[in-house]
Every structure is written in C-alpha cells, then in structure tokens.
Amino acid sequence: MNSLAPPSALQLDRRHLVGAAAVFAAEIGLPASVAAQSRPLGPIRQVEAGPLSIGYAELGPPQGPAVILLHGWPYDINSYAEAAPILAAAGFRVIVPHLRGYGTTRFLSSTTPRNGQQAALAADAVALMDALRIPAAVVAGYDWGARTANIMAVLHPERCKAMVSVSGYLIGSQAANRQPLPPQAELAWWYQYYFATERGRLGYAANTAAFAQLIWQTASPRWRFDEATFARSAAAFDNPDHVDIVIHNYCWRLSLAEGEAQYDAVERVLATGPAIYVPTITLEGDANGAPHPDPQAYAGKFSGKYEHRTIRPGIGHNLPQEAPEAFARAVVDASRM
C-alpha cells in the first residue's frame, strides 16, 4: 500500500461522455438512465457536529460503504447533483455536507469565531463523521473540499479508506503563501488580494452572487451552465456567516487574519507539507481556469497507491459537476485500491 505507483492518465472526451456514462453504469450494474440524472440534492438533514449544526444531503443505503463529498468556493453541494446519485445507486452511502458558511449549516454559538482556516474545515468534516457514526469513508472533493480531504488523510488516515482529490495536493501554509509568485500567477489570485481589503469585503457582501458567477465563468471557461443551475447553488450563499468565512479563509492564507489557537499545532504539521499514504486518485480538468498546481509537481506527495487522471476536453475547475461520470468512476475505483 505504501509503494509509489506511477501516475497514469485517463483521457475522457466530452463527445463520448454519454456513451462513457452508459458503459460505466453497465460496469457497476446500473441502468444507463441513472448516470444521466440531475436534480437538486435533498432533502437536507441537520446534525450537530462540533461547533456547528451541519446541513447535509444523504443518498444511498444506510449500511453501504460511506463516501463524503466536499464542495468548494463559490459552489455548494449541488456540484454533486449528478455524481452523488450515481454513487448511491452503486451501493454507497453518500454524505454531501454544506461547509461552514454555506446552505443550512449554522454555528451553534454566536460567540464562536467565524474561522475559515483550513484546519477548522477539516475538523468540521471529522466531527460530522463522528456525529453520523461513520468510522471511515472514502473522502473526495475539489477546491476547498479537496484541501479538506487532503488534511483529513494526513491527520486521520484511519478515517479515510481512500481519497479522490481534484487538483491534487492542496495543503498550504501561511509561510509559503507569503512568498511572491510570478506576475501571471499573481494575476490569477486577484480575488485573494481583493478580499484582503475592506473594499473587497464590502464588494463581496454586496455582490455575492454576481461575484460567484464571474468565478464560475473564469474557472470553467468552457462550461456552459444555465441560469437555473447557477441559481440552485447561489442560494447556498444566503447564509449569515458566508461572507465572514470566505473573507477569513483568504485573509488567513496571507497571514492577514489570525486563526484559532486550538489549531496552531495542527497547522505546524500541515506547514511541513506531509505526505499522504491513503490510496488516492487525483483528477484535473484540461480547461481549469482557476489557480492550480501541475500534476507532476504533487505526484511525489502521495506515498500510497496512487493514480492521476486528466479529464478532457474542456473540463474546468468544478470537475464533479462538469464531468460527473468521470468523478464517480474515480470514487468507485479509489474505493477498490
């Protein structure tokens, strides 16, 4: 399990996605129509976990092997509106939580810091597993969700049967984030610097949906989502803590906001860039317009069973929603590694 497997590439052409979905469905014993389903995830359940009442969707048999699907910013659980039913029909118990600051997830106390640092988000996911009495699960995500899955795999490998991580290894450190990047790379992070200003905080609060739609367009330049699809996810930003969590997340990364002392020791561990031993499949879209590392740069971070897949053509940052069959296939395959 701890030997490094050479990365391989899976090339999926969007022209063949329908056919690939049917083949995939047949391989795991599903009707082909299951792979084409798309409806809002729900109903939403609530459970108290750590400092939060977490809103989450649950699909599939309660006794099935668990899968935790974690979304990113500025998206929501509906990034998995197609992938989750595929996995549920394949026999998995699928849990899709709203992160803190999204949807129906709420803080239990008004005095709890609205902290968006990476260690806090990972602690939320572990607390959710505890609350739902899930001893171990396949963890999967993209953007903030991929980083959260990475951290869970480092800190709690016994809770992670396998991992699917879009854009690979995303664990960061404040020290590394203080280092300047080449101008083109800095330009891609424009919103991070915008959020570091009071003007940015006010601007995001006043134009949250428009801001998110712009990010969707630039991060996935070839994804032709419709207004209904965007509106379904934008409703999750109507959360009293959303702006505070997002602003704190990006300001903390640049050492412009403090985290909570309870996470200091954990962040020191994460700052070393520890290897991940959990069996992992990493994914990358060939048209990801958001800042992301090159797959060759992070392959060495995975010291267990490992595979990389590039998903083509025209797949952007929100890979689970843009290529749900490819994402679901990766989860199934990771669970068998």
Side-chain angles (χ1 to χ4, degrees), residues 114-117 244-252 257-259:
R114 272 39 179 178
N115 178 2
Q117 78 182 99
D244 287 342
I245 294 297
V246 171
I247 298 299
H248 185 268
N249 177 283
Y250 287 101
C251 286
W252 179 86
E258 294 185 359

Side-chain angles (χ1 to χ4, degrees), residues 194-195 197-211 237-240 242-244 246-247:
Y194 182 64
F195 289 160
T197 68
E198 182 61 17
R199 179 187 179 94
R201 171 187 286 273
L202 294 173
Y204 186 61
N207 304 287
T208 307
F211 200 103
F237 313 146
D238 187 17
N239 177 300
H242 179 76
V243 173
D244 287 342
V246 171
I247 298 299

